[in-house]
Amino acid sequence: MSRVQYLPPELLSYVLELACIAEAPAQVQVAHILGKVSKLWRETVFSTPAIWTTVYISKTGDPRSFDVPLLRSGVLPVDVRVVDEATKLKAAREQLEALARHSARWKSVEISHPDAFDLLGKAIPLNLPMMHLLAVKITCQRLSPSLMYFYSGFPESRFAPDIDLGWKSRLYPSLRQLDLCDIEVRRSETEDFLDFLQAHDGLERLALKNIWEYDPYTPPRTVVLPKLKDLELRGFSSSEVLRWISAPNIQKLVVEQSSQLRYWTTVDIKSNYATANDVTLIRFSTAPDALRNVLSAVPLASHLKLVSTDLRARYSFCAESTLTETELPLLASLHIQGIASVPRLKAVVETYQGRLRSVKIHCLDLGLPEGSVINDYSERDEALEWMKDQTTFKFDIDHSPDAFGERYQCHEDQTCRKKMLCPGEGCGTRP
């Protein structure tokens, strides 16, 4: 301890702050433990406001226990986290109501909870002047080990409660990032939700995942978000949703159509996403009309990622032919999962020869789909060697998980993908 005593106060304060934050969500408990090391550490911990600015709602939390940490945080903005799935709805609401007295200081709110819809509708204040980030995600209630055996094949499906989220009344003037996952926007609330987006045109990132009903109402208007740089639209069941938002300065675009979307109706996206240069499209590999529609709306795309969620499909993939028909003049990086054949991909690469700097395909695409009539693999091997020998671009074989972060289960299924070049061991796992 003798050497630590001579550390400058600012450095010691910063080190203790990092130590506490690293132990989140138990950083308050860690702060009290570090405060017992010595009188100097105690004084430093209690006089460092940044240590006390994150408040976690937990099943053992007491609404009265927030007073001291909030006092020690001074006037700094506060981050509110509801990420303990074991917390009962009543307890979470009581703790959030106690924190509402300090809502003028809330900087970010993150809710990842089975009752996230209820908490957003009844426990989050309608006016938060300093809030920069709002992230709300409904999670599945975890089953006890004793029930896991009986219900392992039937994950719980939760329906949105009959609660008005009051989008039209919500005012977050400093909001820069909005992330909603499984927070359903009903037909009757669509206009109010678009009014909410229009009133918060300072958004820089917007992620909407599975928030639409099966047959969503699409109003005949488009909300313009001039500062939006990052947009995710995932799990929508109607192509009309693409007309909701116009982002004239967008850089990154992620679009995932729902598995329920069987028929794609071509929509006039105009120039909603014309400036996007980093584009990821999910579930488009077997939908040529949809893929063509979206690609025509992103003429400045330089990095393109096409992800198929089912590499077992025996149907012909359309990605290669569509990329040849709808040429992207600035395309420099192509990452693709779900191709019909390596020779067809070679034809795409030849089309973009001289512009491509990186080409990446998934290891499962090196096999052939189930039911393939091709028995001679020499054409595939020749195309593969051709791409490996090119010096104008870097060629990689991807072993990443699927679109949902899960490991592909096709490696050992030789009836699904024949003549695999990847052994599959450790493949599809997170790095």
Side-chain angles (χ1 to χ4, degrees), residues 16 37 52 63 76 91 122 132 148 187 212 219 237 307 333:
L16 294 178
V37 173
W52 311 94
L76 293 181
K122 295 184 177 180
H132 281 62
M148 198 74 72
R187 294 174 64 90
W212 298 274
S237 56
V307 181
S333 174

Side-chain angles (χ1 to χ4, degrees), residues 208-227:
L208 305 177
K209 307 171 186 177
N210 303 320
I211 72 166
W212 298 274
E213 294 180 318
Y214 177 72
D215 184 22
Y217 164 66
T218 306
R221 68 185 177 109
T222 300
V223 174
V224 179
L225 300 177
K227 296 183 180 180

Side-chain angles (χ1 to χ4, degrees), residues 342-382:
V342 179
R344 284 177 58 177
L345 179 61
K346 175 189 173 185
V348 175
V349 174
E350 289 177 331
T351 302
Y352 291 90
Q353 190 81 19
R355 284 171 284 176
L356 280 174
R357 295 292 177 265
S358 174
V359 177
K360 183 183 292 187
I361 63 175
H362 200 277
C363 61
L364 293 180
D365 288 324
L366 300 179
L368 292 175
E370 179 184 1
S372 175
V373 296
I374 302 177
N375 294 317
D376 183 9
Y377 297 88
S378 59
E379 187 178 2
R380 178 203 65 182
D381 296 338
E382 180 183 345

Side-chain angles (χ1 to χ4, degrees), residues 206-207 228-233 245 247 250 252-254 273:
L206 176 61
L228 193 66
K229 305 293 185 183
D230 189 344
L231 174 63
E232 287 190 35
L233 300 174
I245 299 164
I250 190 171
K252 183 177 181 181
L253 175 66
V254 178
Y273 319 118

Side-chain angles (χ1 to χ4, degrees), residues 288 291-292 295 304 306 317-329 331 334 336 343-353 355-356:
L291 183 57
R292 193 178 299 110
L295 287 180
L304 178 63
L306 301 175
F317 294 99
C318 67
E320 303 95 304
S321 58
T322 305
L323 280 172
T324 304
E325 297 170 5
T326 310
E327 190 170 345
L328 300 173
L331 186 62
L334 176 62
I336 186 169
R344 284 177 58 177
L345 179 61
K346 175 189 173 185
V348 175
V349 174
E350 289 177 331
T351 302
Y352 291 90
Q353 190 81 19
R355 284 171 284 176
L356 280 174

Side-chain angles (χ1 to χ4, degrees), residues 251-309:
Q251 296 177 359
K252 183 177 181 181
L253 175 66
V254 178
V255 180
E256 177 194 356
Q257 64 171 356
S258 169
S259 59
Q260 299 173 338
L261 199 160
R262 301 303 183 196
Y263 303 100
W264 181 274
T265 302
T266 301
V267 293
D268 184 9
I269 309 176
K270 299 179 180 178
S271 57
N272 290 9
Y273 319 118
T275 60
N277 53 53
D278 188 342
V279 181
T280 299
L281 304 180
I282 305 172
R283 296 186 189 271
F284 282 81
S285 292
T286 55
D289 293 337
L291 183 57
R292 193 178 299 110
N293 194 181
V294 178
L295 287 180
S296 63
V298 289
L300 301 183
S302 59
H303 176 78
L304 178 63
K305 183 175 182 180
L306 301 175
V307 181
S308 173
T309 57

